[in-house]
Amino acid sequence: MGLLDKLRDALSGGTQNKPTGARDVPDQVPGEFDETLRAILREDRANGSRWTYKPNKTNSYAEVAQWPNGRRIELISVLVRRIHGYHSGRITYSTGDEEYQLVQLMTTMVSSLLRATLVIGDDEAAHLLEVFARHGTWGRPDLLSWPIGLFIAQIERQHKDKPPSSALRATLTALHTRLMQDPTVRSKEKRKLAERVSTLLIGKDAAALKPVILKDSDPFSALVNGSIAALPEDQRGAWYAILTHAMKANGAKPAEKFLDQARTLVDDVGVAAFKAQVTAWFDTVVQLKERTQTYTQQYNGREYTYTVSEFLGSESMDVLKGLAWMCSHFHDARTLDTLAALAERSFRKIPGKGPAAAATGNAAIYALYRSRGLDGIGHLSRLKLRIKQSSTVALIDRYLSEAAASKGISVHEIEDLACDDLGLKDGSRTWEFDGYKAMLVVTGPGKSDLAWFKPDGTPQKSLPTVVKTSHAARLKKMKDVVKRVDQGTMAQRDRLDRMFRSARTMSMPYFREHFVENGLLGVLAKGLIWNFQVDSMRTPAILVSGTWITVEESSFDPTDAATVSLWHPASASVAEVRAWRDLILAREIRQPLKQAYREVYLITDAELRTRTYSNRMAAHLLRQHQFNSLAKTRGWRYALQGAFDNGFTGQGASVALPDYGLTAHFWLPEVNADDAYNDTGIWTYVATDQVRFCPDGQDDPMDLADVPPVAFSEVMRDVDLFVGVASVGNDPEWRDSGGALPGYRDYWQSYSFGDLGEVAKTRKEILSTLIPRLKIARVASIQDKFLIVRGKLRTYKIHLGSTNILMEPNDQYLCIVADRSKTATQNVFLPFEGDNGLSVIISKAFLLADDDKITDPTITSQINRQ
């Protein structure tokens, strides 16, 4: 059998002409090499390396580097066979064993030798590839366990300016065939190597034009392949080149060379054609759902069932990453909107796996950052509040900081500048279509109404047919604006809420231009109370019908000399807070977020005694995944803890308060119990512990008395929110089993019907004023911790904290699962947005007041059970 036949046999996994013997290769290195290798090992160990091997730092290796070309190639062959032979059939290893260390050194040397300049002849290339194919670093034949990329680099260097010989072409063709086998296994690595081999075989220009067929069995690959196949033949080559370039996407961000080449390739197909095709592909991915398959296996007589969810194949994600980078040159609204949607979809989690396509999402975020103007920055500002992966939020923060620094302004200011009003004026916008008008009115964060009017000005109940048929393109653009308005008001609401943690101030002219007069942000800003300070005089005021009014309801005209900041009840007196709440209720001002009714957390005597930590929120049991999701939404950093090595991070949750130079820490030890973890080993529950504050750069906590009151109150409010939402006390099913945690069996009862926290106290105050105005006033009243509702059949006690229900006379528990889509509060005035618990309490009260009309058997069966 000739050398080429041996190579083909080896690359195809054949067994012809293989050495015989148990290990298939010699156990010993030939004596001429053995002494040199051991000398290198002694020097390497003497250099102080304990866990890594650096042979090229030794004098003995320097001598090897001077060996003749053929002898070094022979050494590579010997090392590969010896490494394979050492691992074959071996079960146990000892890191202190000299032979083990020698083999580790050899593995490193294979790469070191292939990095150096070598002249590899045709026969030598075929021989080395045969050796690589028949052996593996762990004792099983595995071509890719060896540095094949370095081998190819040697061939590329030698044939930079000349084509390979026919013998070498045969060798490379056999290698290319092997790399393209079984594309689902290590596909990215194989594909990149195969592309390099293909370029050697047919030349760079021809390689760029050859057909590119995505091989992943997912909808995106099928869509791309079909889209290009449908093009005229003379247009496909340019798209093949684009896909080939996209596949080269590697690393955290693209090199400028990648972007420059991308610009040329895009110009070849035309910018408009590229945008239209790529955004259509992105749209498909945004709407794509992951595929879930269930598998069953038998093991030791038992049957095991598990599910695997897949979003996209690795090749598809590489292409998407490259295409997203290639969009860095664009700044039009359609492209940026699509990139933002792609980023958001990419970071949506798949159970048991994490983000669906993190690399794709990061590429989209980079493209938004690199886009011209501030629209991309505006999207990043919104995504920072939507994406929950800490590393990605940190990346967005870095991009925002870099963008702000390039303009010489703060991150706050660049986010203000990037807030697009989307054509709104005082929260509304009108479009005209052949005499018909569409009027959009913002009604709250994330909410708006779109009304149609006939040419004569009378209301039109539905979308006019002429608009649908004659103005489809404009109609779609209008719908895109409506969607962006709702997204924008939600994002700006959350950004304003984060401002409560800061000590931000701004000049009156700046505040007027970027907050009050912004058609989108102004809708929210006008519903909040602001401090206007001139020298030592502070005047809080709110804008009502175009006039600033104070808490005494007198008009106020702030001068341009004033500095403006967001009013916080923690910095006001109790009397002032009460007066603002009365004004808000009396004028029925619905604030976009909790401000006048915002919970205030002042330092208690117990916290003054503990001095450096608070135990106010300790001893609660939280569902870890729910807590993690909520914490990320509120801007906290947290890593899930698991029942595996290093599964306890020891860091708990933390949130930075940069304006105060502080970081707050919330300790959350895992609840270690049998079976209290999921399939991936993540603990189901965590317990709450201390809250501490540390100055930036320090590990020692500071005295709580020295923490600024607003910073303390906001952190404790977040922690109270985490407990209120993620506590198992909110889960009616948990009460029956104790969640398999005997030590916590009484926790559900004590939490569900225990003392009121600050959030519940605020609900009690609002309901005390609100209930007399409602039609259920005659049968509803506040008593201690409960809203009492006297129905026709029974009397009910709704807890103001947990929203759970007890029925008199025996305090029997009543389980009602709230339907968030149907609420009795839609026509009830509430002084702020965002407290779902308050809405649930009112909805339950309306339902139970007419308990004789309830038809749901899951509820009636409980009510009738005496």
Side-chain angles (χ1 to χ4, degrees), residues 533-551:
Q533 185 140 358
V534 178
D535 298 328
S536 59
M537 178 66 69
R538 178 183 68 89
T539 306
I542 190 170
L543 196 60
V544 178
S545 301
T547 301
W548 290 101
I549 63 170
T550 67
V551 72

Side-chain angles (χ1 to χ4, degrees), residues 593-763:
L593 47 83
K594 271 190 180 181
Q595 186 187 31
Y597 280 90
R598 200 172 188 83
E599 297 79 19
V600 175
Y601 299 78
L602 303 177
I603 296 177
T604 64
D605 291 340
E607 288 161 342
L608 290 175
R609 288 193 295 271
T610 56
R611 198 169 62 81
T612 60
Y613 62 88
S614 169
N615 271 335
R616 192 187 310 195
M617 306 296 176
H620 287 280
L621 189 65
L622 310 185
R623 292 189 178 277
Q624 185 179 196
H625 279 90
Q626 190 175 14
F627 162 75
N628 176 60
S629 179
L630 184 59
K632 298 296 178 60
T633 300
R634 296 294 300 166
W636 287 64
R637 294 179 66 89
Y638 180 72
L640 288 168
Q641 302 176 62
F644 43 77
D645 290 345
N646 299 319
F648 173 60
T649 64
Q651 302 299 313
S654 64
V655 63
L657 305 168
D659 287 12
Y660 298 99
L662 300 174
T663 299
H665 299 272
F666 181 26
W667 290 6
L668 293 139
E670 83 283 4
V671 177
N672 189 336
D674 292 341
D675 299 325
Y677 50 83
N678 65 12
D679 292 342
T680 59
I682 300 298
W683 294 114
T684 305
Y685 308 108
V686 290
T688 63
D689 203 335
Q690 299 178 5
V691 176
R692 298 179 174 229
F693 293 80
C694 297
D696 289 347
Q698 298 183 32
D699 295 328
D700 294 332
M702 65 189 296
D703 285 1
L704 297 182
D706 296 329
V707 178
V710 171
F712 180 85
S713 183
E714 283 301 300
V715 167
M716 297 304 291
R717 181 177 183 270
D718 273 358
V719 174
D720 196 5
L721 174 68
F722 301 154
V723 172
V725 173
S727 170
V728 298
N730 296 315
D731 181 3
E733 296 181 1
W734 201 87
R735 65 189 280 270
D736 297 325
S737 64
L741 302 175
Y744 288 89
R745 290 193 185 278
D746 295 332
Y747 173 75
W748 187 89
Q749 186 73 22
S750 64
Y751 175 84
S752 294
F753 304 107
D755 294 338
L756 300 183
E758 296 301 324
V759 174
K761 290 177 183 177
T762 300
R763 291 174 184 165

Side-chain angles (χ1 to χ4, degrees), residues 173-228:
T173 299
L175 174 59
H176 187 273
T177 301
R178 175 66 182 86
L179 291 171
M180 296 305 292
Q181 291 175 359
D182 194 8
T184 61
V185 180
R186 293 158 78 173
S187 59
K188 181 175 182 178
E189 183 181 1
K190 287 181 179 179
R191 186 183 68 245
K192 290 185 180 297
L193 293 173
E195 287 172 4
R196 294 169 63 186
V197 175
S198 180
T199 301
L200 280 166
L201 287 169
I202 64 176
K204 184 176 181 181
D205 293 337
L209 295 174
K210 70 181 181 67
V212 178
I213 306 298
L214 302 189
K215 299 174 181 63
D216 286 332
S217 57
D218 58 46
F220 176 75
S221 290
L223 174 65
V224 172
N225 292 336
S227 298
I228 295 180

Side-chain angles (χ1 to χ4, degrees), residues 575-594:
E576 182 182 343
V577 173
R578 165 59 59 198
W580 274 116
R581 291 181 177 182
D582 290 344
L583 185 149
I584 294 293
L585 281 176
R587 289 185 174 253
E588 293 197 352
I589 298 172
R590 191 180 183 106
Q591 294 197 284
L593 47 83
K594 271 190 180 181

